[in-house]
Amino acid sequence: MRVCGVVIAALAVALGAGAELAVVDHAGRTVVVPLPPSRVASAFGVATAYVYALGAGDLLVGARYLGLPESPLGVEVMERIDPSFAAKAFPGEVSVEVPVALGADLAFAGRKHLSLADQLADVGVPAVVWGPETFPEVREAILLAGDLLGRGERAAELAAFYDDILAAVAAATAGLPAEARPATLIVGTAPGRVAGGSMYQTGLVDLAGGASVSRDLPGSWQNVGPEQILLWDPEVILIAPYGPVTPRDFLDDPLFEGLRAVREGRVYKMPQLLFPWDTPIPESVLGVLWLADLLHPGTVPLDVAEVATLFYRRFYGVELRPAELALIGGR
């Protein structure tokens, strides 16, 4: 038995027929999952990213795809990874009947899908609620997904890669004094939609050598008015890769012309190659590295394009194209 955060017990050691794994998910629910699963449904795009990073996309019978509707480039990359992904994509929120009709023997759900997870459990489909929001929780979730999907060795390799990149960034930024950490505003799907302090995005900015101006806001995404943004006066504005907001929404708005970030042209939209880099998924290590290089060029002795190429080759099984690498730059 391996005790690792949300994993509390392996009820059978063998991975053959009849094996089960008991886990406590991110909603605190104890779920007993028969192993190995053969038909997986993911109602939560964050969980879907873990399935593909572990090379288990062939198990998916239906899924939400994080950020892909807003990213034509992401769709192109996804088609190379899984040519049949479009046929698997759920068009909207998932009802209990859909995974059941697909014959799913394991389902993933997000915290907002707690009712769905409970309904699935009631009809005999084990549903694990996914909701990591810190770096240790993402690492833990990688290993949990490996246990659930029968990809333990691949999960260990992915967790080690994740650890190594985070450690390299942390070593490069840990000694930065407060005055060298740019005050950074993280914006979501609207100019006034900002990241709360408990979100993964806030930790990402801190590790990359910035200081989130909205870190004292509670909870998840929060709506604030322009006057609050003016009071914060960020030096850098970082826009999530999904949603319609672009740097021009700040740079061309007279209301924001006095902001340091606008005066200095330091308003950026984070790139997206497959899944969004600001979200709590394995691929987010590329976002941490990209942001550290943006805020403190040359500080981390790693090239983001080279690391992205290696990540996509090892964990998604595809080669990134020159146009895709050009999107993220590199040294």
Side-chain angles (χ1 to χ4, degrees):
M1 178 174 73
R2 178 171 66 81
V3 178
C4 180
V6 293
V7 180
I8 60 169
L11 299 183
V13 176
L15 294 181
E20 292 180 320
L21 183 71
V23 305
V24 174
D25 66 15
H26 285 108
R29 302 162 60 255
T30 299
V31 185
V32 178
V33 181
L35 301 177
S38 60
R39 299 180 65 81
V40 178
S42 176
F44 188 39
V46 166
T48 304
Y50 287 77
V51 177
Y52 278 103
L54 292 177
D58 59 308
L59 299 181
L60 284 171
V61 293
R64 297 294 302 276
Y65 287 86
L66 186 68
L68 287 195
E70 298 87 7
S71 175
L73 181 60
V75 170
E76 289 182 17
V77 176
M78 191 73 247
E79 287 174 341
R80 303 208 302 274
I81 295 170
D82 181 359
S84 64
F85 95 93
K88 301 176 182 178
F90 294 136
E93 292 299 327
V94 183
S95 65
V96 66
E97 293 83 8
V98 175
V100 172
L102 291 170
D105 52 13
L106 173 63
F108 292 118
R111 292 180 188 270
K112 68 178 183 179
H113 308 125
L114 184 57
S115 176
L116 170 65
D118 289 340
Q119 292 174 46
L120 286 168
D122 289 342
V123 295
V125 179
V128 177
V129 172
W130 223 248
E133 282 294 350
T134 66
F135 296 118
E137 286 176 350
V138 169
R139 184 185 193 279
E140 179 182 82
I142 291 169
L143 297 174
L144 172 62
D147 288 340
L148 292 171
L149 299 171
R151 301 295 197 276
E153 184 175 338
R154 176 73 163 262
E157 180 184 358
L158 178 57
F161 189 102
Y162 183 81
D163 289 345
D164 288 347
I165 301 302
L166 293 184
V169 175
T173 63
L176 292 171
E179 60 271 19
R181 294 175 172 269
T184 303
L185 176 65
I186 315 155
V187 174
T189 55
R193 187 81 167 156
V194 303
S198 64
M199 295 185 70
Y200 191 73
Q201 287 82 351
T202 298
L204 185 151
V205 167
D206 289 345
L207 186 64
S212 169
V213 298
S214 59
R215 65 176 308 110
D216 292 333
L217 293 180
S220 185
W221 293 107
Q222 303 288 329
N223 294 316
V224 300
E227 51 285 329
Q228 178 60 69
I229 296 175
L230 293 171
L231 285 172
W232 280 327
D233 191 19
E235 298 170 73
V236 174
I237 297 175
L238 179 66
I239 303 168
Y242 39 85
V245 184
T246 72
R248 304 255 53 104
D249 289 309
F250 289 94
L251 297 172
D252 294 344
D253 190 334
L255 187 62
F256 295 123
E257 63 185 5
L259 292 179
R260 287 178 292 176
V262 170
R263 293 200 311 268
E264 298 171 13
R266 301 186 73 186
V267 184
Y268 310 96
K269 186 150 185 165
M270 181 176 277
Q272 178 178 342
L273 295 183
L274 182 59
F275 300 119
W277 286 357
D278 69 314
T279 55
I281 61 174
E283 193 180 342
S284 66
V285 292
L286 304 180
V288 174
L289 181 57
W290 175 86
L291 184 58
D293 197 56
L294 178 76
L295 299 179
H296 305 283
T299 300
V300 184
L302 295 171
D303 182 85
V304 63
E306 292 178 359
V307 174
T309 297
L310 180 59
F311 185 96
Y312 270 68
R313 181 183 298 140
R314 286 173 64 178
F315 301 111
Y316 291 139
V318 297
E319 292 294 326
L320 290 176
R321 295 169 176 167
E324 293 157 357
L325 292 172
L327 178 71
I328 59 175
R331 299 191 294 277

